[in-house]
Amino acid sequence: AGDRVAVCMANCPEVLQSYHGIWRIGAAVTPLLFLLGEDELRHALSDSGAAAIVTTPEFRPKVLAASAGLDVRCVVTGSGDGAVSFDELVSGPEAPLASVDPTGMAALLYTGGTTGRSKGVVLSHDALSTAAWSATLAGVDDEHTVSLLPLPLAHAYGLLVSVMAVHAVRPTRSVLMRWFDPVGWLTLAQAERVQVSAVVPTMLRLLTTQPLEDYDLSQLQRIVSGSAPLPAEVLEEWNRRVPGVEIVEGYGCSETAALASTTPMGKARAGSVGTVAPGAEVRIEMPDGSDAPSGVNGEICVRTASLMTGYWHDPEATSHAIRDGWFHTGDIGHLDDDGYLFVVDRMKDIIIRGGFNVYPRDVEEALIRHPAVAVCAVIGRPDIEHGEEVVAFVQLHEGAQVSPAELIEYGRAHLSAIKYPREIRIVDQLPLTSMGKLDRKALRGTP
């Protein structure tokens, strides 16, 4: 009880077995993405003080290298192959259900880390349960019985789904993908007659590169997109090619147990991440600390019972993030007159050019409408004259050809003089994080 146990596997039933086994004895889950590099993995194991790590044979060499010199026991699925055998643990006697403090730590999640080392987010049993009940009460999947989950269970959203299953109001069937690939997603959606799926925007974009019309998606009713803003162009293409499927966005972060706003069935609003989730509160804060009027952008702040206890061993960061009970997300957005939340960008990503704010998402959504552009990411670089200059990294559709100068002119024609990029770099592949989001930190390190 009280120990942290890391779980580092691709999606498989053993992940869920591990989570619930760890919780049963009163220990805390530390989910780690299997895509983490050896240094990142070692940082999480060392920082968390994990007593053990559960993994699969394919990742065992990396886990052993990352945990060398640390007091971490390794549990491997199957026979164990010299480590502790997962199969033996599962077939052994059932542990008694521990009596735990509901405010005690249930999970220690390591954030992606926009800058520097990732931080550990402490979530209590109450926080996870509250988020699960909130999503259930919001009726997010009320009409659906077959869902397809390609998101990693090691992510905050996957953790939430594993708890939601405990609170399910009626029996459901989940189809778990080991990891996402567009052909596999479409094949499973057709074969299993899937009704709902949760994705990130990059997954949706990759799906649009496939012959969607060749698959029977007649049972598909709803796709929930989260973790990053959904480009309007991707949404429009889905609506054109797969009519009748409701595409909605939700909003949350690791610090709020993946939940702050949801979009109930049939109530989607274009560009919005929905309305405030049951039991949560959202306010938009201006730089002077006052509440922003309706429609005015400011920092999104959340107050909810599913809020983190704090950052692991970092009271300074905790007190900076949580002020007067409100978690300051670092995201920029606004609420409309009906309480729908719109996320504009990350505060850290805003480019200040000549004293004017430039939101990368505005520039990206304009450039992605060019027929040759598949994906783009916009960052700011230091500039003596303007403070910062707008730079766009562009990935083209296969076989497409366009010059940087042509794209700059396209941007000039579709954006204001403040916003259009003065520099465009065409790349073979944009860097992505382990969750499939654009990795702006990697781009900022590009010479």
Side-chain angles (χ1 to χ4, degrees):
D3 282 348
R4 277 77 60 203
V5 180
V7 178
C8 182
M9 295 185 267
N11 283 356
C12 58
E14 288 86 352
V15 174
L16 296 171
Q17 288 177 306
S18 297
Y19 286 175
H20 288 280
I22 292 164
W23 286 326
R24 184 178 181 86
I25 64 169
V29 170
T30 299
L32 299 175
L33 285 165
F34 67 92
L35 294 171
L36 290 177
E38 186 179 316
D39 288 345
E40 296 170 298
L41 190 58
R42 184 175 181 82
H43 165 68
L45 291 174
S46 174
D47 187 71
S48 67
I53 181 169
V54 187
T55 190
T56 52
E58 61 195 307
F59 305 123
R60 182 173 181 249
K62 179 170 69 175
V63 165
L64 289 178
S67 60
L70 301 177
D71 187 16
V72 182
R73 298 184 71 185
C74 184
V75 179
V76 179
T77 59
S79 63
D81 190 24
V84 178
S85 167
F86 185 94
D87 286 0
E88 288 184 17
L89 294 179
V90 170
S91 62
E94 187 175 85
L97 184 61
S99 176
V100 299
D101 178 1
T103 65
M105 177 168 34
L108 179 60
L109 280 71
Y110 281 84
T111 63
T114 306
T115 57
R117 285 289 197 182
S118 58
K119 296 192 291 290
V121 173
V122 178
L123 294 175
S124 69
H125 293 277
D126 270 352
L128 287 177
S129 185
T130 297
W133 273 117
S134 182
T136 301
L137 292 172
V140 173
D141 297 332
D142 191 45
E143 301 299 321
H144 303 118
T145 57
V146 184
S147 62
L148 177 58
L149 183 63
L151 299 173
L153 291 172
H155 187 257
Y157 186 81
L159 190 67
L160 174 61
V161 168
S162 72
V163 181
M164 281 181 68
V166 178
H167 300 316
V169 293
R170 63 177 179 175
T172 60
R173 182 161 61 92
S174 295
V175 182
L176 184 65
M177 293 190 74
R178 186 166 177 77
W179 46 64
F180 174 82
D181 76 272
V183 174
W185 189 97
L186 290 166
T187 301
L188 284 170
Q190 174 179 276
E192 302 294 336
R193 301 178 70 78
V194 166
Q195 296 167 299
V196 65
S197 183
V199 299
V200 297
T202 305
M203 294 176 182
L204 272 180
R205 183 191 63 78
L206 290 172
L207 287 169
T208 61
T209 66
Q210 302 300 312
L212 300 174
E213 298 76 11
D214 293 349
Y215 294 86
D216 179 7
L217 303 177
S218 58
Q219 295 301 307
L220 187 62
Q221 298 175 34
R222 182 176 169 91
I223 294 178
V224 181
S225 177
S227 191
L230 176 63
E233 184 269 344
V234 175
L235 175 61
E236 291 167 5
E237 183 167 359
W238 259 96
N239 289 337
R240 177 176 60 81
R241 296 176 61 190
V242 193
V245 178
E246 186 181 33
I247 309 291
V248 300
E249 294 186 75
Y251 175 73
C253 47
S254 297
E255 289 88 343
T256 63
L259 192 71
S261 71
T262 59
T263 302
M265 286 289 296
K267 296 184 178 180
R269 183 165 296 187
S272 171
V273 293
T275 55
V276 180
E281 298 174 78
V282 171
R283 63 183 286 264
I284 308 300
E285 184 175 288
M286 300 298 287
D288 63 3
S290 63
D291 288 347
S294 176
V296 175
N297 288 327
E299 183 176 8
I300 300 170
C301 299
V302 180
R303 183 163 64 184
T304 173
S306 67
L307 185 62
M308 68 173 180
T309 305
Y311 292 115
W312 180 244
H313 290 161
D314 198 339
E316 184 178 348
T318 301
S319 61
H320 176 75
I322 304 175
R323 302 194 290 276
D324 296 324
W326 290 92
F327 173 64
H328 291 65
T329 65
D331 290 327
I332 296 296
H334 63 267
L335 291 164
D336 69 9
D337 291 336
D338 298 320
Y340 277 79
L341 178 63
F342 293 78
V343 181
V344 176
D345 235 313
R346 288 286 298 169
M347 286 179 67
K348 292 177 180 177
D349 293 334
I350 291 176
I351 302 163
I352 303 177
R353 185 183 187 277
F356 293 92
N357 289 348
V358 177
Y359 297 109
R361 185 180 181 184
D362 291 344
V363 183
E364 291 161 359
E365 293 215 347
L367 292 178
I368 203 172
R369 292 185 181 276
H370 190 286
V373 176
V375 194
C376 67
V378 170
I379 63 170
R381 65 163 168 75
D383 181 78
I384 295 176
E385 184 177 355
H386 299 289
E388 283 188 291
E389 193 54 271
V390 181
V391 180
F393 290 78
V394 171
Q395 180 181 325
L396 303 180
H397 287 294
E398 187 174 353
Q401 290 187 341
V402 66
S403 69
E406 290 172 313
L407 287 176
I408 289 174
E409 286 305 310
Y410 181 84
R412 187 200 299 264
H414 292 83
L415 292 162
S416 71
I418 297 296
K419 292 182 179 179
Y420 81 87
R422 268 58 172 186
E423 179 183 345
I424 288 185
R425 302 187 191 185
I426 296 177
V427 297
D428 293 331
Q429 180 72 50
L430 285 174
L432 301 176
T433 68
S434 52
M435 267 301 291
K437 295 191 287 185
L438 291 170
D439 190 345
R440 297 184 197 274
K441 185 167 68 171
L443 290 176
R444 292 188 184 100
T446 303

